[in-house]
Amino acid sequence: MKKFLPAILVLACLVVAAVYLLHRSKTEQRGPVEEPFSTEPQAVQAPVDFPEPPPGAVVFDMKYRGLSGDKDEFRYNSYYGYGRSGGDDAPFIKAVGKRAEELQAVYNPQLKGAEWSAVELEDGKAVAFHFDLNADGKVSDDERILPAIVEEEPIRRTEFVTPDFTTETEDGHKAPFRVLLRAEFYGSSSSPSCMWSPSCVLDGTSTIDGEPAKLILYTGGFSGSFTKFGRCAYSLVIGEEEIGRHISRQTLSSIINHDGQFYHVDLYGRHGRDSAVRAVIRKYAGATGNLAVALASDSKLKSRLNGAGIEGSKDNTINFRVSTDQPVLPTGTYKLSSANIEYGTEDTGQWWVGLTEGPEFAVASEKRSTLEFGKPILSVRAVDEEKRYHSDVKEQSTYSKGTAVYLSRKITGKAGELYGRFSKKDDSSNKLVDVEPRIKIVDSEGREVASAKMEYG
């Protein structure tokens, strides 16, 4: 029998090969099988065509992660409302209406193909959220989503989180995405006010200076993109810090400032089901200069910069923050997008003011650039309150009797900066307290017609 063993082995191998070829042929005939998106974090292999990182660079291979909406999980904490009524004629709303008795249609123009969804109401509560996951205008059982969080105090609030669905990004490719809807009931109202938020991130881990590091990328609005400098956001956590519900994040920039150290950020790839993103971070080692501020005044004021937002005046990928007086900056040309300034006659802690739309400036190697602000000019803006959010609203000096007029103050400084909130240190508590401006309206003879405190916000 031994002399037949080789022939038996050859025959067995031929049978196995035939079965494999038959299976392969059938697989190729029916094409690739689409797997549903998982709600778990997905580690994606980085494509081999990513460029080789430079020596000393830190590499983060990012993975997509859908957020569950759990009360202890970090979240975007930024919400969008579109306030559009209607939707009764939308196919999806009609289909949901056949399944639920009481609905409130919800609109989001950024979710192409699924602009209309619905909150199901029962006894003054939001009990379910109907969302068109596959954007086909029809309704299925898995498109009725139950609450993730229900809160009664201090506001009646219910939050819903969708499972992953496919969105088309601005550059035309498809990628997994998910959203959160918050429904809030004010007072005795039985109709909720609804706000939207993205509920997914890209994250990755690495090591910086021997310490564990986590990088998180946040999408810009509902674009589905996580890598647009100036529009998306990021969090960089170095060390063993535990990430809770609230985590600091900044605008995504090609140069970032973390604890006084500047880094270059390069992003490769794109977020998608079959593609990945790699972030490469390297320490900035070039020339630097300093930035300081001064306030022009009739009296001698002491001032210091206490935090500022910096944008590239020529390079729109640069958008970072600094937090120290006379901060060290990489050489280049910038624009001051925002700043907080402390000032006073005795010391710099007596007053505080925030400003936006600061001037352009240049930072030269080993030199200090000083920006001079001050000499503010006050003007009052008056618009029809019903049109205050219209893009083409115009200021007027006269209005018909009975018109509700929305008044706001505008304070412009010598460098073109716009001043926002003013605060003064309270002597009894030693804390900064907002200064509440007052407005007085007088008639043509100077007699007071009305007066009130103006509110921030």
Side-chain angles (χ1 to χ4, degrees):
M1 292 295 293
K2 288 184 180 180
K3 63 181 180 180
F4 294 108
L5 185 59
I8 293 173
L9 288 174
V10 171
L11 180 59
C13 291
L14 288 173
V15 170
V16 171
V19 171
Y20 167 77
L21 290 173
L22 180 60
H23 172 74
R24 180 180 177 185
S25 174
K26 289 182 179 179
T27 302
E28 291 175 344
Q29 288 174 7
R30 70 170 182 259
V33 177
E34 287 287 330
E35 295 293 337
F37 290 134
S38 169
T39 57
E40 297 299 320
Q42 311 220 2
V44 181
Q45 285 290 344
V48 294
D49 58 351
F50 283 155
E52 186 70 21
V58 178
V59 175
F60 294 84
D61 283 323
M62 311 299 289
K63 62 181 181 294
Y64 170 83
R65 179 150 70 97
L67 304 178
S68 68
D70 183 82
K71 65 178 181 179
D72 296 323
E73 183 182 49
F74 74 91
R75 54 181 57 203
Y76 276 65
N77 293 311
S78 55
Y79 298 91
Y80 303 79
Y82 297 98
R84 176 170 171 172
S85 60
D88 293 342
D89 294 331
F92 185 72
I93 301 300
K94 286 183 177 180
V96 176
K98 296 176 181 179
R99 297 186 172 210
E101 292 184 4
E102 187 179 359
L103 296 175
Q104 178 170 312
V106 187
Y107 183 67
N108 187 333
Q110 307 301 315
L111 302 174
K112 301 304 180 185
E115 292 89 347
W116 287 103
S117 51
V119 176
E120 182 180 340
L121 304 172
E122 186 177 304
D123 297 328
K125 297 181 179 180
V127 297
F129 176 48
H130 298 263
F131 184 82
D132 195 358
L133 291 170
N134 56 5
D136 66 350
K138 302 176 183 179
V139 64
S140 57
D141 292 341
D142 64 337
E143 293 176 330
R144 184 178 186 269
I145 300 162
L146 297 179
I149 292 180
V150 177
E151 298 176 344
E152 296 295 333
E153 296 291 341
I155 296 174
R156 289 183 295 147
R157 174 185 298 146
T158 304
E159 292 184 345
F160 304 91
V161 178
T162 70
D164 288 338
F165 58 91
T166 301
T167 189
E168 184 171 310
T169 64
E170 293 173 324
D171 53 2
H173 77 281
K174 291 180 170 51
F177 202 70
R178 68 169 61 178
V179 296
L180 176 150
L181 184 86
R182 168 179 285 184
E184 293 183 332
F185 296 83
Y186 295 96
S188 59
S189 175
S190 59
S191 298
S193 174
C194 295
M195 304 287 284
W196 297 87
S197 172
S199 193
C200 50
V201 297
L202 302 186
D203 64 8
T205 57
S206 191
T207 303
I208 295 180
D209 293 334
E211 293 192 85
K214 176 181 280 290
L215 178 65
I216 303 171
L217 300 182
Y218 306 84
T219 184
F222 301 91
S223 66
S225 171
F226 294 81
T227 57
K228 299 288 186 183
F229 291 124
R231 293 182 58 187
C232 300
Y234 78 94
S235 296
L236 178 62
V237 181
I238 300 178
E240 299 291 350
E241 179 182 339
E242 185 176 344
I243 297 177
R245 180 167 181 171
H246 299 283
I247 178 173
S248 174
R249 69 175 184 267
Q250 308 291 338
T251 302
L252 185 61
S253 172
S254 60
I255 295 179
I256 63 174
N257 174 31
H258 186 81
D259 290 341
Q261 172 66 53
F262 286 95
Y263 297 87
H264 291 285
V265 177
D266 296 304
L267 298 172
Y268 302 98
R270 64 184 185 184
H271 160 56
R273 180 168 183 183
D274 300 315
S275 58
V277 170
R278 168 173 285 183
V280 178
I281 295 180
R282 49 197 169 89
K283 287 184 178 179
Y284 176 82
T288 59
N290 292 86
L291 174 66
V293 297
L295 293 178
S297 172
D298 294 336
S299 58
K300 192 172 183 180
L301 290 177
K302 299 176 181 180
S303 60
R304 66 184 293 266
L305 187 66
N306 183 10
I310 310 291
E311 297 178 357
S313 61
K314 297 179 181 178
D315 185 351
N316 60 12
T317 69
I318 297 175
N319 193 314
F320 59 82
R321 291 198 62 82
V322 292
S323 59
T324 58
D325 183 33
Q326 299 190 29
V328 176
L329 301 177
T331 55
T333 56
Y334 302 101
K335 180 180 179 181
L336 193 72
S337 58
S338 63
N340 299 324
I341 299 175
E342 294 180 359
Y343 63 99
T345 54
E346 300 175 7
D347 60 66
T348 60
Q350 291 178 276
W351 291 79
W352 179 97
V353 66
L355 62 86
T356 58
E357 299 188 26
E360 292 187 2
F361 63 96
V363 175
S365 177
E366 299 182 0
K367 292 184 179 180
R368 184 176 70 178
S369 299
T370 301
L371 300 180
E372 188 175 66
F373 301 114
K375 296 187 176 179
I377 298 174
L378 171 66
S379 61
V380 177
R381 183 172 182 258
V383 298
D384 187 332
E385 186 176 30
E386 291 185 357
K387 301 178 181 178
R388 59 181 288 207
Y389 293 117
H390 294 194
S391 60
D392 59 349
V393 64
K394 294 180 180 179
E395 297 181 48
Q396 296 176 218
S397 57
T398 60
Y399 288 92
S400 302
K401 185 177 181 180
T403 302
V405 179
Y406 181 80
L407 301 173
S408 60
R409 62 102 165 111
K410 181 179 181 181
I411 304 178
T412 307
K414 63 174 294 185
E417 74 275 15
L418 296 179
Y419 290 94
R421 189 185 300 265
F422 286 82
S423 302
K424 184 180 180 181
K425 185 166 68 174
D426 181 74
D427 293 333
S428 59
S429 65
N430 209 33
K431 295 180 180 180
L432 288 172
V433 179
D434 287 340
V435 178
E436 296 180 320
R438 291 193 63 86
I439 187 167
K440 181 171 68 173
I441 301 174
V442 297
D443 61 17
S444 58
E445 297 180 2
R447 291 175 299 199
E448 183 177 308
V449 176
S451 66
K453 286 184 179 180
M454 301 186 75
E455 299 177 354
Y456 288 108

